[in-house]
Amino acid sequence: LCTLSKLFKVETIGDAYMCVGGLPVKQEDHALRVARFALGAVRAAKAVLVDEEHPEMGYLSIRVGFHSGPVVASVVGELNPRYCLFGDTVNTASRMESNSEENEINMSPQATKCLMEQALGVQTQSRGSLAIKGKGNVECFFLVQSDENYDIVLAAVERGESQRPVGLSNNESEQVRHTTVSIDLSGDSQASRQ
């Protein structure tokens, strides 16, 4: 899914998976690509049995969250170099995931704004103001998971459609060109919120 959406996998730590749109290659439709990935990841998880020998256990569940904003990217280490992301955007994406719900895609206001500019007609649902650790009260949004919404996102990615204005100065585009997604592969909606 990451390759299909042309996203960059940053890391997998424990049961968390993180990838980014807009890096290392600039993408004007970064939030749109992350939304496609997120919708596909939830669909894929919901199609996999926890235990094939015990189908009564049900299907996998994941939590997804994403945020758009600036990041600092660097290769860290000499013996085992890794491409790493740093900054508040990474932390906020993680907070969006930890405050999501089972099989839901939680977005920050910034990610929601970017996505709505990049995919006209995409549907979101306000969750109201949530207390986010280190952020205070933040209005969060769920990306509506309907066939119609999935088709809108998929079609926009395939057309390369982006309603975001092009030709911004470097400083302006740097502030909005990255979208980071965090996924809790355990999908434990009862896990303690970070």
Side-chain angles (χ1 to χ4, degrees):
L1 285 173
C2 204
T3 302
L4 181 66
S5 300
K6 296 184 179 167
L7 300 177
F8 183 79
K9 177 187 171 222
V10 179
E11 60 189 348
T12 305
I13 299 176
D15 59 5
Y17 183 91
M18 184 172 286
C19 62
V20 64
L23 285 176
V25 176
K26 185 176 181 177
Q27 297 166 317
E28 293 297 326
D29 60 351
H30 51 88
L32 183 59
R33 291 176 180 281
V34 167
R36 177 187 186 181
F37 171 82
L39 287 165
V42 172
R43 278 187 170 192
K46 289 169 35 175
V48 176
L49 285 169
V50 171
D51 185 340
E52 290 183 6
E53 293 179 15
H54 299 95
E56 67 276 5
M57 292 179 68
Y59 295 86
L60 291 181
S61 298
I62 63 174
R63 283 190 320 236
V64 181
F66 68 92
H67 175 66
S68 297
V71 295
V72 174
S74 182
V75 176
V76 177
E78 291 181 18
L79 183 59
N80 294 309
R82 291 183 350 164
Y83 186 79
C84 296
L85 298 183
F86 304 94
D88 192 55
T89 297
V90 176
N91 296 333
T92 304
S94 178
R95 298 288 186 240
M96 291 299 104
E97 173 271 309
S98 63
N99 284 276
S100 189
E101 294 180 3
E102 186 176 310
N103 292 323
E104 294 290 350
I105 302 164
N106 189 40
M107 302 179 296
S108 69
Q110 295 86 342
T112 302
K113 181 178 185 285
C114 281
L115 179 60
M116 294 181 92
E117 290 171 352
Q118 295 172 16
L120 296 177
V122 72
Q123 298 172 355
T124 62
Q125 176 185 358
S126 175
R127 301 183 64 200
S129 186
L130 301 179
I132 306 294
K133 182 178 177 183
K135 300 282 165 205
N137 290 331
V138 176
E139 182 177 12
C140 294
F141 299 83
F142 279 144
L143 178 55
V144 174
Q145 296 181 56
S146 65
D147 289 339
E148 180 185 353
N149 225 25
Y150 187 80
D151 291 344
I152 288 170
V153 169
L154 187 61
V157 168
E158 289 174 354
R159 285 192 308 268
E161 175 183 295
S162 177
Q163 299 302 315
R164 202 171 139 246
V166 225
L168 298 173
S169 74
N170 285 342
N171 289 340
E172 291 173 313
S173 64
E174 285 296 312
Q175 295 301 309
V176 292
R177 75 180 190 107
H178 312 292
T179 299
T180 306
V181 64
S182 179
I183 298 178
D184 174 12
L185 300 174
S186 73
D188 182 3
S189 59
Q190 301 305 314
S192 61
R193 304 289 185 203
Q194 298 178 0

